[in-house]
Amino acid sequence: MFAARLCTRVALARPLIQPLATVQPGVIRSLHSSPVCQDESLEQAAKFIGAGCATVGVAGSGAGIGTVFGSLVEGYARNPSLKTQLFSYCVLGFALSEAMGLFCLMIAFMILFAL
């Protein structure tokens, strides 16, 4: 209710007919915009936050490596005769987990130094 009264008062205060703009014939006006000046510290803060979010995957890689080697020890305890086959699977799991951690670290360094 108050907003409606305020709007009507503002509308009554303005003249009913306002000229839009006086355009002179033969004058071409171009639109100029100035470049947006960004704060350097804000950009640095955004880079640090992005790099921190990207390195969260390294913790997952560490957990995955721990799980792989824990399963290796458990497999040795259950059946020691499969030692070579279990170790080859363990190395494969370690490599895949470590690769994902390195990819996360690579993305973090790209955010910090390449952008």
Side-chain angles (χ1 to χ4, degrees):
M1 174 108 177
F2 179 73
R5 275 192 267 154
L6 182 64
C7 290
T8 56
R9 287 182 187 163
V10 170
L12 292 175
R14 289 186 304 186
L16 294 177
I17 300 173
Q18 294 178 347
L20 293 175
T22 58
V23 179
Q24 298 172 355
V27 176
I28 299 174
R29 300 168 80 185
S30 63
L31 180 65
H32 296 285
S33 64
S34 61
V36 177
C37 180
Q38 291 186 353
D39 191 12
E40 185 71 27
S41 62
L42 180 65
E43 185 179 345
Q44 281 295 107
K47 282 184 178 183
F48 290 148
I49 290 171
C53 292
T55 56
V56 171
V58 177
S61 174
I65 291 169
T67 303
V68 165
F69 282 108
S71 298
L72 175 69
V73 170
E74 185 180 339
Y76 280 172
R78 289 178 182 255
N79 194 353
S81 65
L82 294 175
K83 185 175 182 176
T84 57
Q85 186 178 6
L86 289 175
F87 186 74
S88 65
Y89 289 152
C90 175
V91 169
L92 179 65
F94 169 77
L96 293 176
S97 294
E98 188 69 20
M100 294 310 291
L102 290 175
F103 289 150
C104 294
L105 198 61
M106 179 189 66
I107 294 298
F109 283 139
M110 284 178 59
I111 289 172
L112 282 177
F113 300 115
L115 296 179

